[in-house]
Amino acid sequence: MAKYDVQITDYSVDGARFAIVVARFNAAITDALLEGALATLAEHGVPDDHVRVVQVPGAFEIPITAKRLAASGRYQAIIALGAVVRGGTPHFEYVAGECARGVSRVALDENVPVIFGVLTTDTDEQARDRAGGKEGNKGCEAAHAGLEMVTLLRRLQD
């Protein structure tokens, strides 16, 4: 029978450093996502001085910033946070799509997990619901994914 890993909940992140790239656009939403991510990292023992927060104008600017941070070799995971809300123009598709593609490319090119915590919603209400409202806080979930990926990649080295 094949051996497989189950979901990792006992994180092993001693000494790990995390970067969070957060878009300022839709700040009411992204600030709540950031609060959730920071609280989650702190709950799991990541010291404040092992977390760097970098703000960018919007979601479109997240990938290049994540690439620079990943290429530095200082971070074991990068968490990307933003909120792109659909409007009446095709702008949503361009921004959301390019952000997702860019984040994925950075992770693969730099061999550093880049967690996609960018909300892509139809309405402001849906975004609020996912940034601490009735759908929880996707910033917390992104931080959990970062913690899990650091742990998983460390275990795969063994």
Side-chain angles (χ1 to χ4, degrees):
M1 180 174 224
K3 182 182 178 209
Y4 61 94
D5 288 313
V6 295
Q7 182 178 0
I8 297 169
T9 56
D10 57 329
Y11 304 125
S12 174
V13 295
D14 290 344
R17 295 186 177 274
F18 295 82
I20 301 175
V21 181
V22 58
R24 285 191 309 267
F25 196 81
N26 289 321
I29 303 301
T30 60
D31 288 350
L33 295 172
L34 177 60
E35 285 178 29
L38 291 171
T40 298
L41 293 174
E43 285 172 24
H44 291 281
V46 178
D48 289 346
D49 64 346
H50 284 181
V51 180
R52 180 173 186 188
V53 176
V54 179
Q55 290 187 325
V56 296
F60 197 80
E61 292 77 27
I62 288 173
I64 192 166
T65 308
K67 183 166 181 64
R68 180 70 54 97
L69 291 162
S72 77
R74 289 185 222 133
Y75 306 99
Q76 284 64 59
I78 297 165
I79 300 166
L81 302 175
V84 184
V85 179
R86 187 179 305 276
T89 69
H91 183 75
F92 172 89
E93 283 80 13
Y94 295 119
V95 173
E98 290 305 315
C99 181
R101 261 186 297 285
V103 164
S104 176
R105 185 172 148 200
V106 171
L108 295 172
D109 290 352
E110 299 297 332
N111 201 30
V112 173
V114 183
I115 309 304
F116 190 73
V118 178
L119 301 180
T120 54
T121 63
D122 289 324
T123 66
D124 288 327
E125 180 182 2
Q126 289 173 341
R128 285 190 301 276
D129 286 346
R130 289 161 178 76
K134 63 184 175 186
E135 298 290 327
N137 188 313
K138 300 302 180 183
C140 296
E141 291 179 23
H144 278 287
L147 292 161
E148 184 172 343
M149 287 305 298
V150 168
T151 302
L152 175 63
L153 294 177
R154 284 180 171 182
R155 287 183 184 173
L156 291 175
Q157 290 176 340
D158 297 339

